[in-house]
Amino acid sequence: MLASRYLIDKGYAILHRNWRCGHKEIDVIARDGETLVFVEVKSRRDEFYGNAYEAVTAQKIRRLISAAESYIIRNRIDMCYRFDIVTVVGTGEPYKIEHIQDAFHATW
C-alpha cells in the first residue's frame, strides 16, 4: 500500500491496516511519536473530477470517528490522537501523494 509506505518513510509506525469494527473501517492506524493517528486513504486515477480528499464526506468522517472511538475503547488507549487524510493520485510512478495532518476533529 503506497500510503503506508509513504507514512513509514516519514517515520510513522503502522499499527493496523484496514482495521474493522462491524461495518466500519479505518484504513490505517499508526503512531507518530506519542500521537495515535487514524488515517483515511483516498486513491484516484486522476483529479479530473476534483481533489481526492474531497471524497471524504461528512458521513465518512462520522463513520471514521465512530470506528476510532471503538478502537480507543476496545484497546483502552490513553494518548493523544488525530485524524489524517492521505491521497494517492495516479496509475503509475510517479504518484502524487498528499498528506493532510489533523484534517478534522472528533467532537466527543
Side-chain angles (χ1 to χ4, degrees):
M1 175 185 242
L2 290 169
S4 292
R5 187 174 336 132
Y6 173 83
L7 293 170
I8 289 167
D9 289 347
K10 287 185 72 173
Y12 288 58
I14 305 299
L15 304 177
H16 302 281
R17 290 184 183 108
N18 303 315
W19 184 86
R20 291 189 165 277
C21 176
H23 61 280
K24 295 174 260 183
E25 180 180 11
I26 302 172
D27 294 331
V28 177
I29 301 173
R31 277 187 79 146
D32 178 21
E34 296 300 314
T35 303
L36 185 65
V37 184
F38 300 101
V39 183
E40 176 65 17
V41 178
K42 288 296 177 193
S43 299
R44 296 288 181 265
R45 290 178 159 297
D46 55 46
E47 294 181 306
F48 182 77
Y49 293 105
N51 293 322
Y53 66 82
E54 292 172 341
V56 182
T57 63
Q59 180 179 357
K60 180 63 182 174
I61 289 170
R62 283 191 302 272
R63 285 186 183 156
L64 183 59
I65 288 170
S66 178
E69 182 178 24
S70 295
Y71 181 85
I72 288 168
I73 291 168
R74 282 185 181 187
N75 294 287
R76 298 183 177 152
I77 303 294
D78 184 24
M79 62 188 301
C80 294
Y81 61 89
R82 71 171 192 258
F83 296 91
D84 289 6
I85 298 172
V86 173
T87 62
V88 180
V89 178
T91 58
E93 294 289 340
Y95 294 95
K96 178 183 171 190
I97 298 176
E98 184 177 0
H99 181 192
I100 304 167
Q101 292 183 340
D102 212 12
F104 53 88
H105 298 274
T107 55
W108 295 326

